């Protein structure tokens, strides 16, 4: 290496500041360039540990670099120079692309079978990673079904007596668990499994005729199907396959062109030549692969029109120096050690406090300033302003017009500094729940997209979001310098064009993956292969992109049919049918002015007042229960019980569920009911309340147990002894004059309905009523060979 460059390197190494890095087991004091982030330093420490360097001295990285140079057989000045390139982040050893040994010739008829077997092996490994956890979870559900059972141990462990266990066992069998594992899970064995790592298979290399692929021949279909569950490199000549194998088995080094440019300045070309020669000497006699990292950053630092020419010059310089098998080294860990990231407008950086923030890529910022552009305007376009002051569509004035005060606006502005979506700044806890409810009329659970609920248009919300958080790219920036439009419009495409230039000079082709969508079909992959073959590329690497994690399909509920063993004979099988109804979990708000009624009655001598509140469509939405002369504890319990029922109704729990759950409950007070024309007796207060609600709102008249002769003749309250000869009922009896506020005229009447008609056939013979020995009501009915009380549900024995 030339003396001036050598002196610059050694001087830069000596100026590295000291810092402390927190490792999992200790605090490490190291010397590193000031521009390095903590993540970059930790990546170097991880490399040193992986290489087995015991660097526990005052400068661990310098110790590791010296040991690495010694391992390569370097001594003296050469060892110091190579160690300096590591310590300054100019270069790093890297791992080349590892490919599967050997190659497949798809013109061989047997290759199809080999490729299919390899594809099946990779598919099985991919599915096993999720299948193991699914099977283990289903076995854990079996043990949980047994633990939650409240019956005897024998019944709880019997699938025929424990429906939850039966469902879990069927699910476990479908997940692939054996019956032996199911029996062990029932016995209490635990099934905790370690997650299987997704195997990383090296790509296969296959040789294929270019014209057959371009025409979509069957061999192209075979390659496309194999690429769906694997990583496949197609080459069109044997020499390309050979050089790929050489690059895969040899050493590799990745160079940071921006770091070399920063150290060498005007001597960039000479420094790069010396750097390549140094690493070639270190790995001699093997030719290492040499990757040119950060090429796009160096290219935009000069004349954009000469970017491709610069890439060609650098490629020739490296090829003339050591003639590496490839100019492409795509090693994620090596890129991390050198601080290299894919070329994009947004760049992540680490602040002095260790926080990771986003910024405009420095190379692009320098290029914009040199071209006469406004760098601050570019940053605002890219990253936003983090404020709604002056925002289009949704600004402070528009929010104040909708009830926001300075207090809420300050909370929103503070939230904009730490959130990434506009919706996250307009929800609890940023906004107080009292403000949401009382001012905006929105319950906490119903916020959703608050701005749309406040009558802001989607277009206005999108514009405000772009104002606050930026557009994420500079493709539509109207103030961009004309010379930079191709770069700013699509930075990734600019970097791809530079890689194409390197591909023309590299011995081995660029095999950066051609990422297919995770839903790509073999037919679509065939078209992609044909386009690459017709474009003259030397090789193409197909790989399907990762699918979204988790479950995202909205599948219909098809029920859970039980698996059954074949029965030796035909017989009736009792089944439990479950119906799962998915309801909206948002709370339905009652109108501020609402209908309802008050029912006064006495149960066993204890007065009970039931107040109901209804929605506009007449559906029950709330109840209140008053028992004024009971103890304070009992009254409070009933009040809170009514609140719980009301909340359930407002969240969509059917009234039927509550009625079925609480009728026939038995506790004191109980007995005779007075003051209610439909219910004459009840086994408890709750039994009375839900009989009343079932009769009034669900038309469940089987819950009414009053004497039919005492019921109203027209179903509306004009029973025996009342004057109903006119055949009409004043509407004031059913419509609250205060609620209607004069909307209902005084002469409004209700025509009779629900009147009993004479039966067409003679009525059945009336038999003597029998009193229930449990509750005393005369509602005992014979059902088959037994007797059932319609009031309390008792089934007394009537022998004798």
């Amino acid at each position: 290496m030339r003396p001036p460059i050598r002196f610059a390197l050694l001087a830069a190494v000596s100026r590295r500041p000291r810092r402390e890095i927190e490792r999992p087991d200790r605090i490490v004091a190291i010397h590193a360039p000031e521009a390095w982030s903590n993540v970059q330093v930790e990546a170097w420490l991880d490399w040193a540990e992986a290489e087995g360097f015991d660097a526990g001295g005052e400068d661990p990285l310098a110790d590791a670099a010296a040991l690495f140079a010694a391992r390569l057989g370097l001594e003296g000045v050469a060892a110091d120079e190579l160690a300096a390139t590591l310590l300054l982040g100019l270069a790093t050893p890297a791992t080349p692309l590892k490919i599967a040994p050997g190659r497949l010739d798809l013109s061989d008829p047997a290759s199809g079978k080999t490729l299919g077997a390899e594809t099946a092996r990779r598919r099985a490994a991919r599915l096993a990673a999720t299948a193991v956890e699914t099977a283990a979870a289903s076995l854990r559900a079996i043990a949980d079904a047994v633990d939650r059972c409240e019956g005897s141990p024998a019944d709880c462990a019997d699938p025929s007596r424990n429906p939850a266990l039966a469902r879990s066992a069927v699910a476990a069998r479908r997940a692939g668990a054996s019956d032996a594992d199911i029996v062990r899970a029932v016995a209490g064995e635990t099934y905790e499994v370690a997650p299987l790592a997704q195997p990383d298979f090296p790509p296969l290399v296959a040789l294929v005729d270019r014209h057959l692929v371009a025409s979509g021949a069957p061999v192209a279909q075979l390659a496309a199907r194999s690429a769906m569950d694997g990583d496949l490199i197609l080459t069109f000549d044997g020499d390309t396959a050979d050089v790929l194998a050489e690059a895969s088995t040899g050493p590799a080094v990745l160079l940071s062109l921006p770091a070399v440019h920063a150290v060498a300045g005007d001597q960039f070309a000479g420094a790069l030549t010396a750097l390549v020669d140094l690493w070639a000497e270190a790995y001699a006699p093997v030719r290492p692969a040499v990757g040119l990292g950060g090429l796009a950053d160096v290219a935009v630092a000069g004349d954009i029109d000469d970017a491709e020419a610069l890439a060609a010059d650098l490629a020739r310089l490296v090829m003339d120096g050591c003639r590496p098998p490839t100019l492409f080294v795509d090693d994620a860990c090596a890129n991390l050690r050198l601080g290299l990231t894919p070329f994009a407008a947004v760049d992540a950086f680490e602040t002095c406090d260790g926080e990771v923030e986003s910024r405009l890529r420095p190379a692009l910022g320098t290029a914009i300033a040199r071209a006469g552009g406004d760098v601050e305007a570019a940053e605002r376009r890219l990253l936003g302003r983090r404020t709604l002051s002056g925002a289009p569509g949704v600004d402070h004035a528009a929010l104040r017009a909708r009830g926001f005060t300075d207090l809420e606006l300050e909370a929103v502005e503070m939230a904009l500094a730490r959130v990434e979506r506009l919706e996250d700044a307009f929800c609890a806890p940023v906004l107080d729940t009292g403000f949401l409810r009382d001012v905006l009329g929105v319950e906490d659970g119903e916020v959703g997209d608050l701005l749309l609920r406040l009558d802001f248009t989607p277009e206005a919300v999108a514009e405000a979001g772009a104002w606050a958080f930026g557009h994420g790219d500079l493709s539509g920036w109207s103030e961009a310098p004309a010379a930079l439009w191709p770069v700013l419009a699509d930075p990734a495409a600019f970097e791809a064009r530079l890689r194409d230039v390197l591909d023309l000079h590299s011995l081995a082709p660029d095999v950066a993956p051609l990422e297919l969508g995770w839903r790509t079909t073999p037919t679509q992959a065939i078209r992609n292969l044909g386009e690459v073959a017709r474009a003259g590329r030397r090789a193409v690497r197909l790989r399907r992109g990762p699918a979204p994690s988790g479950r995202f399909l909205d599948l219909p509920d098809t029920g859970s049919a039980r698996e059954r063993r074949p029965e030796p004979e035909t017989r009736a099988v009792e089944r439990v049918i479950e119906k799962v109804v998915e309801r909206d979990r948002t709370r339905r708000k009652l109108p501020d002015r609402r209908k309802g009624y008050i029912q006064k009655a006495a149960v066993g001598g204890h007065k009970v007042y039931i107040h109901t509140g209804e929605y506009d469509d007449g559906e029950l939405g709330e109840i209140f229960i008053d028992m004024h002369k009971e103890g304070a504890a009992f009254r409070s319990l009933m009040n809170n019980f009514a609140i719980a029922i009301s909340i359930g109704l407002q969240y969509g729990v059917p009234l039927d569920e509550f009625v079925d759950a609480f009728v026939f409950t038995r506790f004191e007070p109980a007995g005779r009911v007075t003051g209610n024309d439909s219910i004459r007796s009840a086994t408890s207060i709750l039994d009375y309340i839900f009989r009343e609600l079932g009769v009034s709102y669900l038309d469940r008249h089987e819950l009414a147990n009053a004497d039919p002769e005492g019921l109203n003749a027209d179903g509306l309250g004009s029973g025996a002894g009342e004057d109903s000869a006119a055949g009409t009922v004043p509407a004031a009896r059913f419509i609250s004059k205060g609620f209607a506020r004069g909307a209902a005229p005084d002469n409004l009447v209700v025509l009779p309905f629900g009147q009993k008609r004479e039966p067409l056939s003679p009525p059945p013979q009336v038999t003597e009523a029998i009193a229930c020995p449990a509750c005393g009501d005369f509602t005992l009915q014979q059902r088959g060979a037994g007797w059932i009380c319609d009031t309390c549900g008792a089934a007394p024995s009537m022998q004798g």
Side-chain angles (χ1 to χ4, degrees):
M1 186 171 288
R2 299 176 184 177
I5 300 175
R6 180 188 310 147
F7 294 150
L9 287 179
L10 297 180
V13 169
S14 65
R15 292 194 300 268
R16 294 174 301 136
R18 185 177 183 274
R19 72 171 81 175
E20 292 184 347
I21 296 296
E22 183 177 355
R23 301 289 286 171
D25 55 344
R26 66 190 187 280
I27 302 295
V28 180
I30 57 96
H31 293 268
E34 189 174 0
W36 283 15
S37 66
N38 288 341
V39 174
Q40 191 173 349
V41 174
E42 290 186 12
W44 278 107
L45 292 174
D46 291 340
W47 168 78
E49 292 180 0
E51 293 290 332
F53 299 138
D54 185 12
E58 183 179 348
D59 193 348
L61 292 185
D63 295 343
L67 292 172
F68 178 74
R71 176 185 291 178
L72 295 179
L74 299 179
E75 297 178 350
V77 174
D80 293 340
E81 290 177 345
L82 188 132
T85 63
L86 296 176
L87 296 175
L88 296 179
L90 306 183
T92 180
T95 302
L97 173 66
K98 298 299 183 182
I99 60 177
R103 69 185 185 197
L104 293 174
D105 188 350
L106 297 187
S107 62
D108 183 0
S111 64
K113 183 176 181 180
T114 303
L115 193 56
E118 179 64 21
T119 301
R121 185 173 72 92
R122 299 186 178 206
R123 181 182 295 120
R126 174 175 58 83
L127 295 176
T130 56
V132 169
E133 176 56 30
T134 301
S138 65
L139 291 171
R140 290 194 294 269
I142 290 177
D144 185 60
V146 175
D147 292 340
R148 288 187 292 106
C149 179
E150 298 180 355
S152 64
D155 290 344
C156 290
D158 186 354
S160 63
R161 296 176 179 271
N162 185 347
L165 174 60
R167 290 192 295 269
S168 300
V170 170
R173 182 182 289 174
R174 290 174 177 170
S178 66
D179 284 6
D181 286 324
I182 294 175
V183 172
R184 296 187 186 107
V186 171
E189 288 192 24
T190 58
Y191 280 84
E192 297 295 335
V193 296
L196 292 180
Q198 188 73 27
D200 186 15
F201 292 102
L204 298 171
V205 176
L207 182 63
V208 65
D209 186 271
R210 181 185 301 273
H211 301 291
L212 294 178
V213 174
S215 61
V219 68
Q221 301 175 15
L222 174 63
R225 287 195 300 270
S226 301
M228 295 298 95
D229 271 287
D231 200 347
L232 182 66
I233 299 176
L234 285 184
T235 61
F236 302 108
D237 62 85
D239 293 339
T240 299
D242 292 338
V243 74
L244 280 174
E246 179 186 356
S248 173
T249 56
V253 57
L254 179 64
L255 309 181
S256 174
L257 297 182
V260 175
H261 190 276
V263 172
D266 296 338
Q267 302 183 47
F268 173 66
L272 182 60
T273 302
L275 187 62
V276 172
D277 292 342
L278 176 63
W279 280 87
E281 177 187 352
Y283 281 118
V286 181
R287 296 184 302 169
V290 179
L292 301 180
L295 177 59
D297 291 279
V298 174
V300 297
D303 191 345
I304 296 298
D305 295 334
D306 297 334
E308 296 182 10
L310 174 63
D313 292 340
L314 295 179
R316 284 191 292 267
L317 185 150
V318 175
M319 295 301 296
D320 293 341
C322 66
R323 197 166 178 76
T326 182
L327 295 175
F328 301 99
V329 177
D330 296 319
D331 180 1
C333 294
N335 279 306
L336 184 59
R337 290 195 291 273
L338 297 184
L340 299 174
T341 58
F343 191 68
V346 179
D347 181 45
F349 75 102
E350 189 175 75
T351 65
C352 297
D353 299 331
E355 299 293 332
V356 178
E357 302 287 349
S358 297
R359 65 180 177 183
L360 174 66
R361 195 177 192 88
L364 286 179
T366 303
I368 291 172
R370 190 178 59 252
D374 187 346
V375 177
E376 292 184 357
E379 291 176 341
R380 289 193 296 268
R381 168 79 185 185
L382 183 66
L383 305 173
R385 299 161 177 82
R386 295 289 172 165
T387 180
L388 290 179
S389 178
V394 184
D395 60 0
H396 289 182
L399 292 172
R400 281 194 176 94
R402 287 163 172 80
F404 282 70
T405 66
D406 290 341
L407 182 63
E408 285 75 37
L409 292 177
E410 181 182 0
V412 169
E413 290 292 321
M414 293 178 62
L416 290 175
R418 62 178 186 271
V419 301
E420 298 300 329
R421 299 189 315 154
L422 198 58
E423 296 84 352
D424 295 336
F426 287 89
C427 63
V430 176
L431 298 176
D432 184 70
T433 55
F435 169 77
L436 291 171
R437 180 183 64 251
D438 300 335
V439 178
L440 303 184
V442 177
E443 295 290 343
D444 185 20
E446 303 173 354
V447 172
D449 195 336
L450 179 63
L451 293 177
L452 296 181
R453 295 174 65 96
L454 295 178
D455 294 332
F456 287 107
T457 64
E459 295 77 12
V461 175
E463 291 178 357
W467 175 275
F469 302 107
H471 294 78
D473 58 60
L474 297 174
S475 58
W477 184 33
S478 59
E479 304 175 29
L484 295 178
W485 281 351
V487 180
L488 300 180
D490 194 345
F494 173 73
E495 186 177 36
R497 290 199 301 271
L498 298 182
R499 290 181 69 103
D500 290 341
V501 174
L502 296 182
D503 186 70
L504 298 176
H505 298 81
S506 176
L507 296 180
D510 183 11
V511 287
L514 176 61
E515 291 284 358
L516 305 175
W518 68 274
R519 300 184 65 176
T520 300
T521 63
T523 301
Q524 295 169 327
I526 291 172
R527 285 199 295 267
N528 292 334
L529 285 176
E531 293 174 359
V532 171
R534 289 188 291 271
R537 296 285 297 272
R538 291 182 289 166
V540 58
R541 181 182 176 192
L542 287 182
R543 186 173 64 187
R544 181 183 265 174
S549 60
R551 297 179 179 178
F552 53 88
L553 290 179
D554 186 13
L555 299 178
D557 180 19
T558 59
S560 55
R562 291 193 176 188
E563 291 185 359
R564 296 184 178 83
R565 299 180 183 272
E567 298 292 342
E569 59 183 1
T570 303
R571 63 179 183 179
V573 180
E574 182 181 356
R575 296 188 302 167
V576 177
I577 306 298
E578 296 183 353
K579 181 180 180 182
V580 179
V581 179
E582 187 69 22
R583 297 184 180 272
D584 187 7
R585 292 184 174 87
T586 58
R587 187 173 182 177
R588 183 183 176 191
K589 188 177 180 181
L590 279 161
D592 294 334
R593 186 177 180 85
R594 43 191 176 267
K595 307 185 301 296
Y597 71 88
I598 301 175
Q599 172 68 57
K600 173 186 175 183
V603 178
H606 296 258
K607 290 184 179 180
V608 182
Y609 293 83
I610 302 176
H611 304 244
T612 69
E614 303 173 4
Y615 291 99
D616 291 336
D617 59 2
E619 185 176 348
L620 180 63
E622 67 179 358
I623 64 170
F624 297 94
I625 304 172
D626 290 332
M627 300 184 68
H628 297 294
K629 293 185 179 181
E630 303 302 323
F634 190 78
R635 286 203 314 271
S636 299
L637 182 64
M638 295 303 295
N639 289 337
N640 285 279
F641 175 78
I643 292 173
I645 296 297
S646 301
I647 292 175
L649 292 171
Q650 292 166 28
Y651 272 101
V653 178
L655 179 59
D656 272 318
E657 298 291 336
F658 288 125
V659 172
D660 292 338
F662 293 110
V663 294
F664 299 121
T665 52
R666 184 184 298 276
F667 58 86
E668 295 295 332
R672 180 177 177 80
V673 176
T674 59
N676 192 300
D677 58 0
S678 297
I679 302 168
R680 193 178 66 178
S681 64
T683 59
S684 66
I685 294 293
L686 296 187
D687 177 59
Y688 161 71
I689 291 171
F690 286 97
R691 283 179 183 272
E692 165 61 26
L693 296 179
V695 172
S696 300
Y697 286 98
L698 302 176
D699 293 331
R700 293 185 54 173
H701 296 290
E702 73 277 7
L703 299 177
N705 53 18
D707 186 358
E709 294 299 326
L711 289 176
N712 302 333
D714 55 9
L716 293 174
S718 54
E722 296 185 10
D723 184 11
S724 58
T728 60
V729 180
R733 182 169 181 179
F734 306 104
I735 301 177
S736 169
K737 185 175 182 180
F739 182 83
R741 289 180 174 173
D746 295 337
N747 59 352
L748 183 66
V749 297
V750 178
L751 296 177
F753 60 92
Q755 291 179 328
K756 299 179 182 179
R757 300 181 180 273
E758 292 296 329
L760 299 179
S761 59
Q765 183 177 359
V766 179
T767 58
E768 181 180 359
I770 301 177
C772 173
C775 65
D777 282 356
F778 289 90
T779 54
L780 204 61
Q781 302 290 335
Q782 186 172 8
R783 305 280 171 79
W787 295 80
I788 299 293
C789 178
D790 287 343
T791 299
C792 65
S797 175
M798 302 300 292
Q799 296 179 359

